[in-house]
Amino acid sequence: MKIIFVCHGNICRSVAAEYIAKHLDNKHEFISRATSLEEIGNDIYPPMKRELELQNIPYTRHYAQRINQSDYDNADYIFYMDDENRYSLNRLVEDRRNIIKPIYLYSEGITEIEDPWYTRNFHKVVEQLKICIKDILKNI
């Protein structure tokens, strides 16, 4: 099963979700993508790297990429972080199979994953992502 995590720039939330999922599960394929072109080619944002390191979540060199229709066609699920991501996804890919879902779909009490690039809440975001990903893995 191939799962894609999506956020605005693919340097904080979605890439953290990718590596958290890889750390928690080795049965599925996980990748991450952006909805914007702003950070294409960039690595994980340094404060997010530090938070992943603090939580002993391994990662490798990352190159931010934008989602496209081919990504969609090859995915089983696509999980986005907030309503802005969903709006942008609607402009980039056609969800003919109804596979685009909020990452917090199965997680009670979480209504979005805030963008830590703005809020600086990297620890909170990683904690919420861990909860959401564990819930996804239980439900897919």
Side-chain angles (χ1 to χ4, degrees):
M1 186 172 301
K2 185 172 186 175
I3 297 170
I4 303 175
F5 299 106
V6 177
C7 71
H8 182 76
N10 191 216
I11 61 167
C12 288
R13 296 172 291 174
S14 61
V15 68
E18 173 187 346
Y19 287 109
I20 291 166
K22 287 176 177 176
H23 182 64
L24 296 173
D25 177 278
N26 61 5
K27 294 178 281 191
H28 305 296
E29 180 183 355
F30 303 101
I31 65 170
S32 59
R33 295 289 187 262
T35 60
S36 78
L37 294 171
E38 294 172 26
E39 300 288 346
I40 299 307
N42 289 342
D43 197 3
I44 303 169
Y45 191 48
M48 182 56 81
K49 278 185 181 181
R50 281 192 292 281
E51 187 58 39
L52 292 173
E53 290 166 1
L54 285 171
Q55 298 207 28
N56 296 310
I57 298 166
Y59 61 86
T60 59
R61 174 63 166 95
H62 173 73
Y63 299 89
Q65 298 178 56
R66 189 181 197 190
I67 194 165
N68 58 43
Q69 193 66 44
S70 176
D71 290 324
Y72 173 90
D73 292 340
N74 293 302
D76 294 291
Y77 290 98
I78 298 173
F79 292 102
Y80 61 88
M81 305 293 155
D82 61 32
D83 289 339
E84 181 184 323
N85 301 153
R86 176 63 177 158
Y87 174 79
S88 298
L89 275 166
N90 286 341
R91 293 179 304 125
L92 296 170
V93 298
E94 183 183 347
D95 189 11
R96 300 177 306 270
R97 298 179 289 138
N98 194 32
I99 64 168
I100 298 176
K101 311 284 184 196
I103 194 168
Y104 43 84
L105 176 66
Y106 304 109
S107 302
E108 210 170 298
I110 300 175
T111 57
E112 76 169 7
I113 305 295
E114 67 186 50
D115 191 340
W117 195 88
Y118 296 105
T119 67
R120 316 310 290 172
N121 291 327
F122 295 94
H123 180 75
K124 175 185 176 184
V125 166
V126 169
E127 289 301 318
Q128 287 183 329
L129 288 171
K130 288 192 305 191
I131 291 167
C132 292
I133 291 165
K134 286 176 185 175
D135 291 341
I136 287 168
L137 293 172
K138 284 183 215 168
N139 285 282
I140 57 169

